[in-house]
Amino acid sequence: MSDGYDAVLSHTSDVEDDPEGLGSVWLETHLCEVGERARKLVLDGATTSEGDDLGELAELLGRLHDIGKLTTFFQEHVRGGSPEEATHHARLGAFVAYYALDECGYSQQTRIAGTVAVWKHHGALPDVETGLKDELSDDTETGPYGEVCKQAGNIQRHRPDLADRLLADAIGDGATDDAPSWSEFLRSVPDVRKAIRDAPTLSNSWGAPSDVITEDTYTDTVQLSSALVLADKSCAGKITDERLKPETAELNDLKSHLDDLGGDPKNDEEETLNRLRDAAQDEVAENVQRFLDGEESVATVTLPTGYGKTLVGLRAALEMQAERDTDGRVVYALPFTSIIDQTAETLWEVFDADPTGRGLTIHHHLAETVTVGDESEEDDSETARDADDPTDEYARDEYLVGESWRSGTTLTTFVQLFESLAGPGNAQSMKLPALYGSVVVVDEPQALPLRWWPLVERLVEVLTEVYDARVVLMTATQPEIVDSNERFDLIREKDRYFDGPGPDRVRYEFDSTATADDEAAVLGYDEAASRLVAAASEDADSALAVCNTIDSAQDLSKAVAERVDAESLTDVNDCYANALGDSFAGPESTGELVARIDRETGTESSDLALLHLSTRLRPCDRRALLQIAEELTALDVPLVVVSTQLIEAGVDISFDRVYRDFAPLDSIVQAAGRCNRSFEREEGLGNVSVWQLDAPDDCEMLPSKAVYARPQKPGEKNLLAPTRDALDETVEDFADEVTASEATVADEAVETYHCLVGHDVTPDGIDMVDDFENAQAKSLRQKSLIDQHLAFEVYVCRTETESERVEELRDAREERAFERVKRLRKDLAELRVSVPVYRPDSEAARKLKNAEPLFDYSEGSDRTGWDHDTERVLDPERDVGRFEQYFDVREGVHLPESGVEARFF
């Protein structure tokens, strides 16, 4: 019997662009292509935890994953019809996968891993045990099992011969008995359901639990799922094998760049620093082979800030790839999006790379992640979509290639790396095959939340043991995330850089408010502002103050402004606001503005420039203002910069003096890395002063304790106590107001601090490891490296062009052009500020609800829950009064309530 369709389709092309349907893809062709590509995506020779060939398994699953599309229901649906029966196909595909794997004699653990991979190839992985028992094997007639039986019976009536052929092609010679048939599968469906339902509780012949659902099950499932998802989407998008191959970064390009660095040093100290930078490069290159020949698979690079760690880490990665001679990639992970662009500029300069080419991809939630093919490659097709799968809506294949990390080098964030490894969503999983044989550089690992350390240690094991990757942990303050006995130090002569012949760059000064654990002994904002103004005005110095919370930074900026006469103060944020327009393109066009600020300041000793930075400013503004600050510090401009922790790590900027609100010791040392970074001070050391600021207005807790010592916050530790203990143990007379050398604080005290913090894991950290060991993908996906709160997403328009782009987004949604909506959202991320609100009924939430919504949901809604209608627009083109009420050029999005957790992390 037939349903009248001669061609059995997997998906069709867009009817408007292809009225003849020439771009439609036959199901049999699609299954063959996906199977072959899935096999290529896994590491050659890789096996599951049970020793099965991973490539063979991936190919088998790829050849069966869409077999449920054989139903007449789906074939009507894919051609634009509206069948009465269910058209989804993943559950039936999962049952077929289990049956085929059983016929081939695979273990129960492998069968479960493959079944879940096929079941969720259009969705996110579940908590495996509960998902199998409560969802996939539901045995009610009207539930999932009933639909599976109905779909399987439909195929038996209409296309049994094609189903037999697809089964035979997938299994090949792997069947342990006679070649299986669709009719045999149909008879086996009840047994398959029972086997899936009982898998978590099966017992072996001795009656003991078989431990089918384990960490090994999970890693097998993730690998098979990620290969299947990427193969499916890339084949549907007609992306060639060539476009998925990386362009490997050339080690010789880096060596040439290093040879060209330097020039005439300004002083003896800079000349010594340059020699030490060269020595670090040479030492790492010499030790790479020893590392690869040894038993360790995790390497460390521990160097003071300013010693060129980015290029040292890159050198280590490229040397490893050259020695290993693999097709693996380099993944360079940083803690914060705010510091990625600067590192990207360095990499583009080193490799002369196209930002959208296959050599280098920038991937984080604010980036327009695209990777295009060579100009010589044909590009004559749009991405086809699975008509049954909304997750396949990729407008251009360069997005898919970029987000799957197929470039030779990917620059990304901890969130993208570790959350994807822990509990990947559907799109997140596409990047995981790129990790096979790779080198993963983790820059500033101490910035990982303490509660994540146990799971990150486990994920590093997965990277090295499952994906055959090598991991490099790189920082000035090496944490004990991975046990020191299991790491190989690429910098063997650490004392040479921390307390050897190299000169100190800074002197630490600990204020009495920092040395005493006494809430009464704190520094007020007026006094702190007086010190900052005096420091900057003296010899036209630059001074940076790093605060722990947004509220604290705002209060300190206001206090600095109030200490200076209005005529004598140059507000850099205000100057930037006046310069904004179509002629001002951002960080690359700051020269004229900087020159004007330079002319306006420094004419008298009382003149001062003030710049404020926080995450309440738009990402594009932060990048431009950081560039302005960097250029101003190179001039004789008396400058005060007040910032949250966003400036603390990975930003190549140097001040004469740095003031840090009391914080964990590694944060203090990271802030010190912004002082006299390359011995710019020709006379004397840079000063790093540590104080403890009072609570801001309307806040009860000190900023230091609110962020780093929250006993009321479950799963978090007091990190201030071990900081004081480490300093008390290493710095003489620390109980009094005291100074200390760079080597004492950055080396001795930091090592003591990390020993004190150690592996004293939090309950939350233990829970995450348990979730990983028990294949709880959904539970892990709900954990985040970033504190999650109720939040409004506010699009801030400051130019006419930006207003027009927001209107484009609104029009695209009105037209239900969802691919364009997705692309525009990503493009507009640079204008978006996330504003936490800690209660839906708070004053901040009420005020934000009164701001202009991005979309009009009055005529029905396609969103539910808290995130319904939480996107807002501030646009002076539409409402000047409201814009001025909600936005301040210095502070950014400005609300009366900004809780202590509204901090940068």
Side-chain angles (χ1 to χ4, degrees):
M1 187 188 305
S2 171
D3 55 3
Y5 299 126
D6 294 330
V8 179
L9 301 180
S10 171
H11 44 265
T12 60
S13 60
D14 192 308
V15 176
E16 294 181 5
D17 295 335
D18 184 20
E20 301 297 324
L22 299 178
S24 299
V25 178
W26 287 25
L27 176 60
E28 196 165 1
T29 300
H30 178 63
L31 293 176
C32 180
E33 290 177 347
V34 172
E36 292 176 353
R37 177 158 291 173
R39 182 171 192 145
K40 295 175 184 176
L41 287 173
V42 302
L43 186 67
D44 189 29
T47 62
T48 68
S49 55
E50 296 287 290
D52 301 313
D53 187 296
L54 197 66
E56 289 181 1
L57 273 168
E59 181 171 3
L60 184 154
L61 299 177
R63 287 179 176 271
L64 292 175
H65 74 289
D66 276 352
I67 198 169
K69 290 182 177 181
L70 286 172
T71 64
T72 60
F73 320 136
F74 184 86
Q75 291 305 306
E76 180 183 353
H77 167 67
V78 80
R79 289 168 169 84
S82 301
E84 295 181 0
E85 302 295 342
T87 60
H88 52 71
H89 58 277
R91 284 194 179 92
L92 177 56
F95 273 63
V96 176
Y98 186 95
Y99 167 77
L101 293 170
D102 190 26
E103 287 293 314
C104 291
Y106 286 107
S107 69
Q108 177 72 343
Q109 183 164 298
T110 298
R111 280 177 262 161
I112 290 301
T115 298
V116 174
V118 172
W119 175 31
K120 291 298 182 180
H121 74 273
H122 289 318
L125 294 176
D127 290 343
V128 174
E129 180 174 344
T130 56
L132 292 176
K133 290 197 300 185
D134 299 339
E135 297 178 60
L136 184 56
S137 58
D138 184 309
D139 61 357
T140 59
E141 289 187 8
T142 58
Y145 175 63
E147 291 178 353
V148 165
C149 293
K150 188 176 297 184
Q151 291 172 338
N154 177 272
I155 293 172
Q156 178 65 21
R157 290 191 299 276
H158 292 273
R159 294 191 177 85
D161 293 342
L162 181 53
D164 287 347
R165 185 164 76 246
L166 294 178
L167 274 172
D169 288 346
I171 294 175
D173 299 328
T176 55
D177 298 314
D178 295 337
S181 66
W182 191 259
S183 59
E184 183 183 340
F185 163 71
L186 189 58
R187 288 192 297 271
S188 301
V189 167
D191 294 331
V192 171
R193 183 200 62 79
K194 184 176 186 303
I196 291 173
R197 183 196 63 195
D198 295 343
T201 56
L202 284 178
S203 298
N204 57 31
S205 57
W206 295 279
S210 61
D211 293 330
V212 171
I213 312 301
T214 65
E215 175 184 345
D216 291 335
T217 312
Y218 189 46
T219 54
D220 291 346
T221 304
V222 169
Q223 288 183 90
L224 291 169
S225 173
S226 60
L228 180 59
V229 169
L230 178 55
D232 187 26
K233 292 182 187 294
S234 60
C235 287
K238 300 182 180 179
I239 298 173
T240 64
D241 286 342
E242 187 65 26
R243 195 165 287 191
L244 294 177
K245 292 180 180 178
E247 287 182 0
T248 305
E250 292 293 335
L251 178 59
N252 286 335
D253 288 345
L254 176 59
K255 291 180 178 178
S256 297
H257 179 80
L258 292 170
D259 290 340
D260 293 339
L261 289 177
D264 295 331
K266 295 189 295 291
N267 48 49
D268 292 342
E269 287 80 5
E270 187 180 10
E271 183 177 1
T272 300
L273 177 62
N274 288 339
R275 286 201 302 268
L276 289 172
R277 287 169 172 166
D278 291 341
Q281 290 283 347
D282 293 340
E283 188 175 354
V284 164
E286 291 170 3
N287 285 323
V288 161
Q289 191 59 58
R290 292 178 57 195
F291 166 61
L292 295 177
D293 291 341
E295 296 181 357
E296 301 94 342
S297 52
V298 177
T300 59
V301 172
T302 308
L303 284 171
T305 56
Y307 278 60
K309 287 197 300 296
T310 297
L311 295 181
V312 171
L314 195 59
R315 175 72 174 270
L318 295 183
E319 293 277 4
M320 289 179 197
Q321 292 297 60
E323 293 293 336
R324 297 182 79 197
D325 192 25
T326 68
D327 293 330
R329 296 158 170 82
V330 173
V331 175
Y332 194 113
L334 287 157
F336 315 127
T337 58
S338 59
I339 60 179
I340 277 188
D341 290 304
Q342 183 170 285
T343 305
E345 292 291 339
T346 299
L347 298 188
W348 286 329
E349 181 182 354
V350 170
F351 301 112
D352 191 24
D354 179 352
T356 61
R358 290 191 331 222
L360 173 63
T361 289
I362 313 301
H363 183 231
H364 56 84
H365 78 285
L366 296 179
E368 182 181 11
T369 306
V370 297
T371 301
V372 301
D374 297 332
E375 291 182 3
S376 59
E377 292 181 354
E378 286 191 18
D379 189 13
D380 57 359
S381 65
E382 290 192 5
T383 300
R385 282 171 288 159
D386 183 330
D388 193 37
D389 177 23
T391 68
D392 281 340
E393 293 179 351
Y394 283 84
R396 300 196 301 272
D397 63 2
E398 54 260 37
Y399 280 101
L400 187 148
V401 176
E403 292 183 359
S404 58
W405 293 5
R406 305 311 296 179
S407 295
T409 302
T410 295
L411 187 61
T412 189
T413 60
F414 291 173
V415 167
Q416 294 293 334
L417 174 63
F418 290 116
E419 289 190 13
S420 297
L421 275 168
N426 189 266
Q428 284 178 310
S429 70
M430 293 192 303
K431 63 175 71 79
L432 300 183
L435 297 174
Y436 287 116
S438 64
V439 177
V440 179
V441 180
V442 181
D443 196 349
E444 311 291 5
Q446 78 286 342
L448 287 160
L450 191 65
R451 68 184 185 278
W452 268 75
W453 284 19
L455 182 57
V456 168
E457 182 179 24
R458 186 64 57 87
L459 295 176
V460 168
E461 289 179 12
V462 171
L463 279 169
T464 58
E465 296 176 6
V466 175
Y467 290 91
D468 192 32
R470 296 295 177 267
V471 176
V472 180
L473 304 177
M474 185 169 64
T475 180
T477 56
Q478 198 66 245
E480 289 292 317
I481 295 176
V482 176
D483 191 278
S484 58
N485 295 324
E486 299 175 4
R487 307 184 316 232
F488 183 96
D489 295 325
L490 291 174
I491 297 295
R492 313 295 285 181
E493 302 177 38
K494 192 162 63 108
D495 292 347
R496 178 182 187 183
Y497 306 98
F498 281 92
D499 54 6
D504 278 359
R505 291 171 302 169
V506 302
R507 173 181 54 249
Y508 286 86
E509 298 177 347
F510 292 93
D511 188 77
S512 60
T513 59
T515 59
D517 186 11
D518 181 1
E519 292 205 15
V522 292
L523 191 67
Y525 289 89
D526 288 341
E527 174 60 23
S530 296
R531 296 186 192 183
L532 285 170
V533 171
S537 300
E538 179 183 320
D539 299 325
D541 278 353
S542 57
L544 166 68
V546 181
C547 299
N548 285 323
T549 67
I550 288 176
D551 287 351
S552 178
Q554 289 176 350
D555 280 12
L556 185 55
S557 288
K558 290 176 183 176
V560 170
E562 290 169 358
R563 302 294 299 179
V564 183
D565 292 338
E567 290 115 11
S568 299
L569 179 70
T570 299
D571 190 319
V572 177
N573 299 75
D574 194 47
C575 293
Y576 170 77
N578 293 333
L580 273 178
D582 294 335
S583 61
F584 185 83
E588 61 273 19
S589 57
T590 57
E592 184 177 340
L593 177 58
V594 169
R596 181 163 65 82
I597 295 172
D598 185 25
R599 291 193 300 270
E600 292 178 357
T601 56
T603 56
E604 298 179 7
S605 60
S606 61
D607 285 343
L608 184 76
L610 171 64
L611 192 156
H612 177 89
L613 290 167
S614 84
T615 52
R616 290 293 175 85
L617 295 167
R618 306 181 307 173
C620 58
D621 297 335
R622 294 202 304 264
R623 288 193 298 112
L625 288 168
L626 278 169
Q627 178 67 30
I628 292 169
E630 182 180 352
E631 294 178 34
L632 288 175
T633 57
L635 303 170
D636 291 330
V637 173
L639 172 69
V640 171
V641 174
V642 179
S643 176
T644 55
Q645 300 99 307
L646 68 86
I647 203 170
E648 195 166 80
V651 178
D652 190 10
I653 187 171
S654 183
F655 295 84
D656 297 305
R657 301 167 184 262
V658 169
Y659 296 80
R660 182 64 170 91
D661 195 9
F662 193 61
L665 189 56
D666 49 6
S667 294
I668 293 172
V669 172
Q670 289 296 326
R674 309 314 122 203
C675 185
N676 198 25
R677 191 170 176 83
S678 296
F679 295 96
E680 296 86 1
R681 290 179 65 88
E682 296 185 9
E683 296 181 6
L685 302 173
N687 283 2
V688 177
S689 298
V690 182
W691 55 32
Q692 185 162 230
L693 291 173
D694 198 356
D697 289 342
D698 302 323
C699 295
E700 296 181 0
M701 293 186 70
L702 302 183
S704 56
K705 294 195 174 184
V707 176
Y708 299 114
R710 293 179 287 180
Q712 79 282 8
K713 177 87 173 182
E716 294 205 5
K717 287 184 60 177
N718 180 343
L719 296 177
L720 301 183
T723 295
R724 286 196 175 92
D725 290 343
L727 290 168
D728 190 36
E729 187 173 326
T730 55
V731 177
E732 187 175 353
D733 297 326
F734 177 71
D736 302 320
E737 191 168 348
V738 70
T739 63
S741 69
E742 182 177 9
T744 299
V745 176
D747 187 18
E748 296 175 35
V750 164
E751 185 174 345
T752 302
Y753 168 79
H754 282 305
C755 287
L756 291 171
V757 173
H759 279 82
D760 186 9
V761 297
T762 64
D764 195 30
I766 295 172
D767 289 344
M768 284 193 283
V769 173
D770 288 343
D771 287 343
F772 188 82
E773 292 176 343
N774 293 306
Q776 302 282 74
K778 182 178 179 181
S779 299
L780 286 167
R781 203 159 42 251
Q782 295 169 349
K783 309 291 185 181
S784 178
L785 284 158
I786 302 172
D787 285 339
Q788 299 293 313
H789 302 290
L790 305 177
F792 280 79
E793 301 298 322
V794 183
Y795 293 79
V796 182
C797 302
R798 302 183 70 178
T799 69
E800 183 177 348
T801 299
E802 291 166 355
S803 299
E804 292 171 353
R805 291 171 67 196
V806 170
E807 287 306 309
E808 284 182 47
L809 174 59
R810 285 169 158 156
D811 291 343
R813 184 186 175 279
E814 183 71 22
E815 296 164 9
R816 302 188 69 80
F818 295 119
E819 291 175 357
R820 188 150 53 98
V821 168
K822 178 181 178 181
R823 185 170 68 252
L824 287 169
R825 278 186 188 278
K826 188 175 285 289
D827 293 346
L828 290 169
E830 287 283 287
L831 312 183
R832 195 167 60 226
V833 178
S834 183
V835 183
V837 291
Y838 302 102
R839 298 185 316 278
D841 60 348
S842 65
E843 180 72 6
R846 184 186 65 78
K847 284 186 171 289
L848 282 166
K849 288 175 185 175
N850 290 333
E852 182 185 14
L854 175 62
F855 299 128
D856 181 9
Y857 289 101
S858 58
E859 299 297 326
S861 173
D862 56 4
R863 304 176 75 175
T864 57
W866 162 253
D867 69 347
H868 172 86
D869 196 17
T870 56
E871 293 177 297
R872 292 293 183 269
V873 176
L874 300 180
D875 187 350
E877 294 290 323
R878 295 170 64 100
D879 188 347
V880 175
R882 193 172 315 195
F883 184 87
E884 293 175 347
Q885 179 186 0
Y886 284 87
F887 188 81
D888 180 83
V889 295
R890 183 193 297 160
E891 298 177 358
V893 176
H894 181 65
L895 296 170
E897 176 190 274
S898 49
V900 296
E901 295 192 54
R903 61 185 174 91
F904 178 80
F905 181 71

